[in-house]
Amino acid sequence: PHPLSPPQAGGGTRFVDLGLTVTPKLGRAILWPSVIAADLLTGEKKTHHEALPVEAGLKYAANLWIHLYDFKSPSRAGACPFLGSNTHGGD
């Protein structure tokens, strides 16, 4: 996520399995892989993350997803390996 307008308090991104929270700052962005480099169909569980609530002010952010393959065609055909689930195995 890229904070277009960071909040006065809260609103970070917490990487649960890494014990790391990134605080939003204007003009900064974070980027991480959601799959393992050696097997692009295996989700990287360490990057499981969550958005923390904004405690004061407002937060406007932008997200960008980079896909390694044509995901639209398999999704339309019901053949996408990630269809209906996320990369950390949750619902």
Side-chain angles (χ1 to χ4, degrees), residues 56-88:
L58 296 172
K59 176 183 174 182
Y60 294 99
N63 294 316
L64 174 66
W65 292 82
I66 301 170
H67 297 275
L68 299 173
Y69 59 92
D70 170 19
F71 72 97
K72 291 183 180 181
S73 297
S75 289
R76 288 186 194 115
C80 180
F82 297 121
L83 192 62
S85 68
N86 58 34
T87 56
H88 69 77

Side-chain angles (χ1 to χ4, degrees), residues 14-73:
R14 178 170 41 207
F15 291 87
V16 179
D17 298 323
L18 296 174
L20 173 70
T21 299
V22 178
T23 302
K25 295 185 179 178
L26 184 62
R28 295 191 180 175
I30 53 177
L31 175 69
W32 63 89
S34 63
V35 294
I36 295 175
D39 179 4
L40 299 180
L41 293 179
T42 300
E44 174 53 88
K45 296 178 190 256
K46 293 177 187 172
T47 60
H48 174 221
H49 61 283
E50 62 185 356
L52 298 175
V54 172
E55 297 168 7
L58 296 172
K59 176 183 174 182
Y60 294 99
N63 294 316
L64 174 66
W65 292 82
I66 301 170
H67 297 275
L68 299 173
Y69 59 92
D70 170 19
F71 72 97
K72 291 183 180 181
S73 297

